[in-house]
Amino acid sequence: MNHQAIIEKAFMASKNSYSPYSKFKVGACVEMNDGKYFMGANIENAAYGATMCAERNAVYGAYCNGYTKKDIKLLAIAADSAAIVSPCGACRQVLKELIPDECQIILANRQGYKIMTIKELLPMAFTEENL
Ligand code: THU
């Protein structure tokens, strides 16, 4: 998928956001090497800590359907916010383990996007190699 197409899918996913507390709708789309894709949205809870972010829902969806790290090609995260959306620390930690280091991560708002890798988002990560 080209960048604009996957960003559009992420924005479509954000329509399913359940975010009555923050009112901040986020959507994500992860594309597989075989052309399939999985979408996710942030799902909040009155017990705030039980909230799940859009990008984790998307990547967990891929794994739940039998895909693993090697199958993941591209990830887009989108929110209609003033600043380009920036993944939280917990998501960075999860992405480090579950997507390839070289995978492009597209961070988007309605005005534009930037492309990062997980190494840029989470340098000197704690991984299984540190155990
Ligand atoms: N959120 C995401 O889903 N992804 C991000 O990258 C940033 C934050 C969600 C979590 C919460 O539901 C809301 O945005 C406000 O923090």
Side-chain angles (χ1 to χ4, degrees):
M1 243 182 284
N2 67 42
H3 292 164
Q4 220 45 62
I6 193 168
I7 289 168
E8 238 0 271
K9 292 232 180 285
F11 272 119
M12 272 173 53
S14 75
K15 292 187 181 153
N16 295 328
S17 165
Y18 174 74
S19 42
Y21 306 105
S22 73
K23 316 244 189 288
F24 190 73
K25 290 175 180 287
V26 186
C29 180
V30 59
E31 184 185 8
M32 306 295 124
N33 288 321
D34 69 4
K36 294 218 171 66
Y37 55 86
F38 295 89
M39 312 221 275
N42 56 323
I43 307 295
E44 298 185 346
N45 195 276
Y48 297 165
T51 291
M52 185 50 65
C53 293
E55 53 271 57
R56 268 186 282 166
N57 274 332
V59 171
Y60 288 159
Y63 273 71
C64 285
N65 282 278
Y67 293 89
T68 59
K69 196 174 202 169
K70 65 178 181 343
D71 305 310
I72 293 178
K73 183 177 179 189
L74 189 59
L75 170 65
I77 309 165
D80 189 1
S81 49
I84 277 176
V85 65
S86 180
C88 78
C91 283
R92 291 177 197 217
Q93 182 67 31
V94 167
L95 294 176
K96 172 69 195 168
E97 184 147 339
L98 299 188
I99 71 170
D101 275 349
E102 67 279 6
C103 177
Q104 289 190 335
I105 304 171
I106 302 173
L107 306 174
N109 65 5
R110 279 291 177 204
Q111 284 70 49
Y113 66 92
K114 70 170 72 158
I115 298 176
M116 311 275 299
T117 63
I118 193 58
K119 277 197 155 176
E120 292 167 329
L121 287 170
L122 189 65
M124 212 182 145
F126 181 82
T127 70
E128 67 277 11
E129 284 160 27
N130 300 109
L131 291 173

